């Protein structure tokens, strides 16, 4: 029997060193000039994990060769299809396709938040005519928004029954919420994995819209609220839009992969979590 050296046994027991995990980033064209995901991609490169950039419209992305993690920003059918194909191949994704779909529909989002016991404004989902029929003068001013939409697209403030009756609305239904009084700033909670940051951002519905977002104090209660919202939808990179009221914080909506405005070191924060997820996915695939 050949003699086995002690060093040989140690080598056999030593864990196999895995190659650097492979990360890809895909985004809709409209996001390519925004802070994210460009900031994340730059931070990954600086950390020694340069990401492959994928175009969801390019048929060459069909095979998704050798990727451990796909990070996606957007909601287009092509991007969602790319996520679906990646997940079917066992590739880890940020965010998952189903998680993005769950916050695209604002009516569905609101119901899920309410079921989870998260404080939200009173919300109605109906046709404009039905909302008008069931509204009194005390329900105004109200905010009317599309079921599907982002970046405050087509969000309207309606101040009276007459304004609501005259509203030109192209969709079959709408969401209606009371306009909650504020100082013109929204509270934003930004999350990457379990790391939470807070910022105060000018509301797109107020005269402060041209001002800059600023970092805000983060309390344990806000951290818990943000992580609860993420758990409801299964999100990894997300933002929680809130309004501060005398009775506490109300969650207006949850958005997948925002720009992380006014978050110090946001790019590095996102990259840290992405690298950890990619390494974990690589280890799981290598077992």
């Amino acid at each position: 029997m050949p003699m086995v050296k002690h060093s040989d046994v140690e080598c056999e027991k030593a864990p196999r060193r895995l190659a650097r995990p492979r990360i890809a980033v895909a985004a809709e064209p409209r996001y390519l000039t925004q802070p994210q995901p460009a900031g994340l991609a730059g931070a990954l490169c600086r950390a020694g994990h340069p990401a492959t950039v994928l175009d969801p419209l390019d048929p060459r992305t069909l095979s998704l060769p050798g990727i451990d993690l796909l990070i996606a920003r957007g909601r287009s059918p092509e991007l969602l299809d790319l996520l679906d194909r990646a997940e079917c191949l066992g590739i880890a994704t940020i965010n998952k396709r189903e998680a993005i779909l769950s916050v695209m529909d604002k009516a569905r989002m609101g119901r899920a938040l309410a079921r989870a016991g998260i404080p939200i404004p009173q919300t109605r989902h109906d046709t404009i005519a039905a909302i008008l029929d069931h509204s009194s003068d005390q329900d105004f001013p109200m905010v009317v928004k599309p079921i599907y939409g982002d970046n405050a697209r087509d969000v309207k403030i309606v101040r009276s029954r007459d304004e609501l009756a005259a509203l030109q609305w192209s969709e079959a239904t709408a969401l209606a919420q009371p306009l909650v009084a504020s100082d013109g700033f929204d509270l934003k909670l930004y999350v990457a994995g379990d790391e939470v940051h807070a910022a105060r951002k000018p509301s797109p519905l107020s005269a402060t819209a041209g001002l800059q977002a600023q970092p805000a104090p983060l309390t344990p209660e806000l951290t818990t609220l943000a992580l609860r919202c993420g758990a409801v939808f299964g999100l990894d990179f997300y933002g929680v839009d809130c309004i501060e009221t005398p009775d506490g914080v109300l969650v207006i909506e949850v958005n997948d992969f925002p720009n992380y405005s006014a978050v110090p070191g946001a790019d590095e924060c996102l990259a840290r979590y992405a690298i950890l997820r990619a390494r974990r996915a690589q280890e799981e695939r290598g077992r």
Side-chain angles (χ1 to χ4, degrees), residues 44 72 85 91 114 176 180 185 195 212 246 277:
L44 286 171
R85 285 188 278 112
I91 297 170
V180 180
F185 287 82
E195 189 169 338
Q212 295 296 314
R277 276 292 306 277

Side-chain angles (χ1 to χ4, degrees), residues 137-167:
D137 290 341
Q138 287 69 41
D139 293 321
F140 296 89
M142 70 169 56
V143 178
V144 179
K145 60 181 71 174
I147 302 302
Y148 295 94
D150 55 7
N151 295 315
R153 176 183 62 82
D154 293 335
V155 176
K156 308 290 185 183
I157 296 178
V158 180
R159 302 190 178 277
S160 68
R161 290 177 54 82
D162 289 341
E163 281 191 25
L164 182 58
L167 184 65

